[in-house]
Structures are given as C-alpha cells and as structure tokens.
Amino acid sequence: SGYVDIHSNSGYASFSTDRGYFYMNKQLRVDTGYIGSHNEDLRLTTSGTQRIHVSNSTGNVGIGVNASSSHRLYVSGSTYTTTNITAGKVIRADGGIQVDGKTVIDDGAGWHRSYGKTGWYNNDYGGGIYQDDTTWVKVYGSKSFHMPSNAYVAGSIGIGDSTPNYPLDIEKGSTNWLATFQNTNGAD
C-alpha cells in the first residue's frame, strides 16, 4: 500500500508520495550542484534531527538552531576554524575573548590581560607598558612616560632610588649636583 507518483509539469518534474518521507539507500548526487526547497525553508537533518536551517525569506542560516531573523549566520555551540576570521565591520564577542585558551579581554570589555613577561605594545611607535616581575610596571622600548595633566602618587617618589623613604627621595648621583630648578626663562 502507498504510492509514489512522478509528475511532469511545465518546466519541472516532481515526485510525490503518501508516505512521511523518501528513503534512498544510496548517495544522492546532483549534476548542477543545486539542492533547494521549492518555496519554504530548507532544513538538513541527520537521524531526524535538524542540523542546518536556511530561511526562505531572508537566506539566513542556522547551524544547530533555527536561522536568526537578524543574523546571517547563527551557530549553536562552539565553532573552530583552522584559518583566519576576517570581518569587514565590527567583531562582537559576548563573554570575552580568549587566545590560546587564555582570556585577553574580560566579559563586558573589562580588563585587557597579558601573560608572562608581556604587556601592551604599540606596533607603529615601538613603545608599550609591560610587567616582568611582581613589583614594577615598566615602559617598553626605552620610551618616556608622558602625562599631559596632573599626576597623583599615593606613596613616595624615588629618583635614582627604588626604595624611597620620603615623599620625594632623590638619590645623589656621581656629580656634586643633587638637583637644579629652572624657571620658564631658563635662568636658575
């Protein structure tokens, strides 16, 4: 019981049956490379479970989930690529960004993290900020640190002295001069 009909209409041929689906025990190969739906969403399944969904109205694709109405590609679960990901616009990462299993930008665009004896580096100008021990934050590339406004130091400042004992502790160098102060005219 049941039937399979083959119809020839204007411009196409069709198969129809009263059964729930067609079962083919061999590969299905299409010479033109086109597989599609007539006028409804396209759904690819394995073992009866939807794996890929293509929206007929938007062309948006869902993998492991129905296609989103607002995103061209919507994936349920992790994705992995063996090559670069290139974006013509903004890349959005909800939940932070990891590189080699380490978080480099926290959730909510919080802390930007580095690991080991590294830090932030400006590729165009060769300077940066890094840390290579548990005590000091350092300037990279023998650059000077410029503050165009006021600075506040809660502790002491040491000049030539890494362990200052006073609010401003200046260690005398090999010359007899301890400090020199000049006004804007250059006079002492």
Side-chain angles (χ1 to χ4, degrees):
S1 65
Y3 67 87
V4 174
D5 286 337
I6 301 174
H7 300 282
S8 178
N9 296 317
S10 174
Y12 64 92
S14 66
F15 296 90
S16 61
T17 182
D18 62 342
R19 301 300 172 169
Y21 53 88
F22 287 97
Y23 175 82
M24 296 178 188
N25 65 348
K26 300 290 182 186
Q27 293 181 25
L28 175 63
R29 295 190 180 196
V30 181
D31 189 41
T32 63
Y34 288 95
I35 298 176
S37 64
H38 178 63
N39 60 3
E40 50 282 304
D41 291 357
L42 177 65
R43 299 170 191 274
L44 301 179
T45 65
T46 59
S47 300
T49 301
Q50 176 182 293
R51 305 298 183 185
I52 299 176
H53 173 236
V54 181
S55 169
N56 183 56
S57 61
T58 64
N60 292 350
V61 177
I63 299 177
V65 67
N66 284 336
S68 167
S69 60
S70 58
H71 301 289
R72 179 59 73 192
L73 177 63
Y74 186 51
V75 179
S76 175
S78 298
T79 58
Y80 179 83
T81 177
T82 58
T83 59
N84 296 336
I85 296 175
T86 303
K89 298 259 182 178
V90 172
I91 295 177
R92 179 178 167 174
D94 294 337
I97 296 176
Q98 289 188 347
V99 175
D100 295 331
K102 294 183 177 181
T103 300
V104 294
I105 299 177
D106 289 346
D107 181 21
W111 285 99
H112 293 229
R113 299 176 182 273
S114 63
Y115 296 85
K117 296 181 178 184
T118 64
W120 170 80
Y121 175 74
N122 184 299
N123 198 59
D124 289 341
Y125 299 108
I129 297 174
Y130 72 103
Q131 198 166 354
D132 63 2
D133 59 39
T134 59
T135 305
W136 298 101
V137 175
K138 302 173 182 176
V139 176
Y140 180 79
S142 299
K143 304 293 182 182
S144 297
F145 198 84
H146 172 73
M147 292 181 288
S149 187
N150 297 333
Y152 172 77
V153 178
S156 299
I157 295 175
I159 298 176
D161 185 353
S162 63
T163 58
N165 295 313
Y166 306 99
L168 178 59
D169 198 344
I170 302 173
E171 179 75 22
K172 181 179 173 187
S174 61
T175 67
N176 290 331
W177 292 92
L178 181 63
T180 173
F181 298 91
Q182 294 181 340
N183 66 21
T184 56
N185 295 330
D188 292 344

